[in-house]
Amino acid sequence: MIKYQIVADPRVANDLKEARDFLNSRRKGLGSKFLKEYKVLLKTLQSNPDFQVRYKNIHCLPLKTFKYMVHFTIDIPSKTVHLYAVLSTHQNPNKHWL
């Protein structure tokens, strides 16, 4: 099985922190559950990143429980997945997107 390397844009760390803080403000411990689910999603991307292209060459994969979506590209020759954002599906994408 081919494993893809995951490379995250530095802004992804901020997206994750904002999501964790927001979810913890709603209910204690919810942010930790979000991060655990995000890590499971990363393992999925390592083994099979070929998910729906939403716009241009950007693929999107929603988390199962939380209303967040990971935005990424795939570089097949180098076997690399580049993460660009982890966004709430309730946010205005024009406010946050690259």
Side-chain angles (χ1 to χ4, degrees), residues 28-75:
K28 186 175 180 166
L30 202 55
S32 294
K33 289 181 181 182
F34 166 79
L35 292 176
K36 285 178 187 173
E37 188 171 314
Y38 171 75
K39 289 176 184 176
V40 169
L41 182 138
L42 291 181
K43 288 183 185 211
T44 300
L45 289 178
Q46 282 182 318
S47 61
N48 180 20
D50 194 21
F51 289 91
Q52 181 181 17
V53 175
R54 286 286 179 102
Y55 48 94
K56 297 184 183 178
N57 65 336
I58 303 292
H59 297 256
C60 293
L61 181 61
L63 277 79
K64 290 187 187 299
T65 306
F66 297 92
K67 304 290 184 193
Y68 285 82
M69 192 171 295
V70 177
H71 298 251
F72 61 96
T73 58
I74 306 167
D75 184 342

